[in-house]
Amino acid sequence: MIPKRDFGKTHLDALFTPEISDWRIDVSFVESYREQRQRFMIKRLQLQTKIMLIVGLTLMAYFFWVNNQPGEKILALKIGLLTEFFILICWFLCRTSLGRRYPHLILLSLCWSVTCAIQIDTALLLNYVEPFTNIWNLMFLTQATIVPVMWRIHLISQIGTTICYLTLYFFYHPQFKQPLNFYIEQGLYLFWTGLICVFSVYLYENLRKKEFRARQELEIAQQQSEKLILNILPRVIAEQLKQEHTTIADSFLEVTVLFADIVGFTELSSHTPPPQLVELLNTIFCLFDELAELHGVEKIKTIGDAYMAVAGLPNHRSDHAIAIANMALDMQKSVTQFNQEQNQSFRIRIGISTGPVVAGVIGLKKFAYDLWGDTVNTASRMESHGIAGTIQVCEATYHLLKEQYVLEKRGLIKVKGKGEMITYLLKGIKVEN
């Protein structure tokens, strides 16, 4: 979606900084860079105004001391105070919303408050129109050093100062006190100082753009990497792996584990093209993933057409069995709905077990968060020894669910590796009368 744009601000910025508008890159980057540059400019302009206030005070004190006549001292004081007043106005504007929106105008105002104001003041008060190129050079160097962005604005400030002086010269037609060669020399120094300042700002801002772009791309890459990691590992485990590259294995006294398997998927795979088969499986597992997110259940992995999830870890929750039961019932509903929409006849077999497990990440490559323990094996057996289209739970899970859910006793069944076990079939939630 293209963000709303402030056309008044954009047009004014484009007038002074067309290099931003000309970038062949996304609008979001242009906007974010402009905002960052404006914040940078405001901070630096506030610093520059403080420095110029101190410089002005020292120069004012010097001219007040060096002039012997009382009238000359008063004039020096007036010119100095007037210049300081203009700088204070610029400092105040930096702290307003107007200044934060148009920092380039503050940059121009600050430059001309020093260069042009002194020239105009001395012309009006003293009828003195000698060019103060030393002050101009000082101002241009200060701006280029402290606010090294928006080279066009620096160029405009220098041209504006020159135009201001030429206008005063046109009106006053002064008689210069120095030989012509002196002014040519000063003019050359001024020209090259200004040119070097503008060029250095241009180079610095290009570097800032590249750094900003690289930093933004790095942040995007980090976000994508973070998102990918969180799709593989729980957030808590991901944070642990970042801090310590060691084996992570935590014991949990009671969790509830779910295994689900699509009945008849092996037979279906023998006469269904692989791309279509994978697409069907992906659609079903995506539905399961959404249910896991909805019920706060942690998906562990998929193995072929089997789906494994757990509740109660890595963050403990007392209603882990309820969360898994609700998810299992919703999984049945989602498969039924899928069959209706896709004209399929899939059924799922679900097994649930409750008990202690060890969970963690092992190995050096292709990290995966996994569970170990008898509870996991039992949940797998509940699924593999279950009935198609039903949810089979062990006795431990039954005792946690019997008050709120309808469970049907299946009785003793022989479980591979476990012997005989009493199991129950989860039918649904009890309806209160």
Side-chain angles (χ1 to χ4, degrees):
M1 185 178 72
I2 299 175
K4 284 187 175 181
R5 304 182 69 178
D6 186 333
F7 287 98
K9 176 181 175 182
T10 302
H11 289 167
L12 187 59
D13 284 344
L15 176 65
F16 290 113
T17 57
E19 76 276 9
I20 298 295
S21 306
D22 292 343
W23 287 353
R24 302 296 181 183
I25 49 180
D26 57 281
V27 174
S28 62
F29 172 70
V30 173
E31 293 297 332
S32 58
Y33 176 77
R34 180 179 289 120
E35 291 173 4
Q36 189 267 356
R37 186 181 61 184
Q38 286 183 328
R39 291 193 298 269
F40 171 79
M41 284 188 67
I42 286 297
K43 290 180 181 179
R44 290 302 185 89
L45 284 170
Q46 289 176 346
L47 174 62
Q48 187 183 357
T49 53
K50 294 174 184 177
I51 292 174
M52 295 313 297
L53 283 171
I54 297 171
V55 172
L57 287 174
T58 58
L59 291 174
M60 184 170 57
Y62 169 75
F63 285 114
F64 185 82
W65 170 70
V66 79
N67 289 308
N68 297 321
Q69 300 299 324
E72 293 177 348
K73 290 181 181 291
I74 293 173
L75 284 173
L77 193 62
K78 284 182 179 179
I79 294 172
L81 289 176
L82 194 59
T83 304
E84 295 287 274
F85 174 71
F86 288 138
I87 297 174
L88 278 172
I89 291 176
C90 293
W91 174 81
F92 173 75
L93 289 174
C94 288
R95 306 175 69 85
T96 64
S97 59
L98 181 66
R100 288 190 290 271
R101 187 171 183 178
Y102 303 113
H104 42 278
L105 297 183
I106 306 297
L107 183 66
L108 290 174
S109 301
L110 183 57
C111 178
W112 294 337
S113 293
V114 175
T115 59
C116 298
I118 292 177
Q119 291 287 166
I120 294 171
D121 291 343
T122 53
L124 293 175
L125 297 175
L126 301 175
N127 199 30
Y128 183 80
V129 197
E130 283 283 326
F132 297 132
T133 54
N134 52 350
I135 295 177
W136 302 357
N137 284 328
L138 176 63
M139 191 65 211
F140 299 156
L141 285 169
T142 304
Q143 279 194 318
T145 304
I146 299 179
V147 194
V149 290
M150 300 179 74
W151 66 270
R152 286 179 171 85
I153 300 298
H154 288 264
L155 182 60
I156 290 171
S157 69
Q158 295 170 16
I159 293 173
T161 298
T162 305
I163 291 174
C164 174
Y165 179 77
L166 292 176
T167 303
L168 290 173
Y169 178 83
F170 175 78
F171 280 108
Y172 284 87
H173 298 289
Q175 294 294 322
F176 292 122
K177 297 182 178 181
Q178 303 291 338
L180 180 61
N181 288 342
F182 172 82
Y183 296 105
I184 293 175
E185 180 185 348
Q186 295 302 310
L188 286 172
Y189 285 140
L190 177 65
F191 171 78
W192 285 112
T193 299
L195 186 63
I196 292 170
C197 286
V198 170
F199 188 59
S200 65
V201 171
Y202 170 79
L203 293 176
Y204 180 82
E205 181 154 27
N206 276 346
L207 180 62
R208 279 181 60 86
K209 289 176 193 174
K210 292 177 182 178
E211 289 179 348
F212 185 83
R213 182 68 174 179
R215 187 163 59 249
Q216 191 180 61
E217 290 176 348
L218 178 61
E219 289 175 359
I220 293 172
Q222 288 175 336
Q223 290 172 3
Q224 292 174 340
S225 176
E226 183 80 9
K227 186 177 179 181
L228 179 61
I229 290 173
L230 294 179
N231 275 334
I232 299 171
L233 302 171
R235 182 177 294 275
V236 176
I237 303 303
E239 292 299 327
Q240 282 183 261
L241 278 175
K242 288 178 185 178
Q243 295 172 7
E244 48 183 279
H245 300 283
T246 58
T247 300
I248 296 176
D250 300 311
S251 297
F252 297 88
L253 295 178
E254 190 176 72
V255 301
T256 299
V257 181
L258 173 148
F259 273 90
D261 185 76
I262 300 175
V263 179
F265 189 80
T266 303
E267 292 85 310
L268 179 67
S269 63
S270 63
H271 56 80
T272 303
Q276 183 182 349
L277 191 70
V278 172
E279 183 63 31
L280 289 171
L281 189 62
N282 178 66
T283 303
I284 294 173
F285 282 177
C286 284
L287 293 173
F288 293 171
D289 288 346
E290 291 174 359
L291 291 175
E293 186 75 21
L294 176 66
H295 293 289
V297 170
E298 191 70 43
K299 173 187 176 181
I300 299 301
K301 59 184 174 182
T302 59
I303 311 167
D305 61 329
Y307 189 94
M308 178 183 177
V310 63
L313 61 81
N315 297 317
H316 172 74
R317 57 183 297 180
S318 57
D319 62 341
H320 49 84
I322 293 174
I324 287 291
N326 290 335
M327 178 173 172
L329 293 169
D330 284 346
M331 288 169 75
Q332 288 184 324
K333 294 176 185 176
S334 66
V335 170
T336 301
Q337 184 177 354
F338 173 82
N339 287 334
Q340 293 173 353
E341 294 174 354
Q342 302 291 331
N343 193 27
Q344 298 291 337
S345 57
F346 287 122
R347 290 185 298 169
I348 58 170
R349 188 171 54 230
I350 299 175
I352 299 174
S353 176
T354 301
V357 298
V358 174
V361 179
I362 58 176
L364 297 175
K365 296 181 179 180
K366 296 184 180 180
F367 293 132
Y369 188 64
D370 210 346
L371 310 180
W372 300 274
D374 186 62
T375 302
V376 179
N377 298 331
T378 302
S380 178
R381 295 291 183 266
M382 289 296 101
E383 177 273 311
S384 61
H385 291 70
I387 302 170
T390 65
I391 305 168
Q392 182 166 243
V393 306
C394 69
E395 195 167 9
T397 307
Y398 164 77
H399 289 298
L400 295 174
L401 299 178
K402 63 182 180 180
E403 300 298 329
Q404 301 180 44
Y405 294 84
V406 177
L407 293 114
E408 178 185 305
K409 186 174 182 180
R410 187 181 179 189
L412 282 171
I413 64 169
K414 190 171 183 180
V415 178
K416 180 180 179 181
K418 303 288 294 183
E420 291 187 335
M421 295 181 66
I422 297 177
T423 64
Y424 299 81
L425 301 178
L426 175 63
K427 296 295 186 178
I429 302 174
K430 284 184 179 179
V431 179
E432 296 182 2
N433 297 325

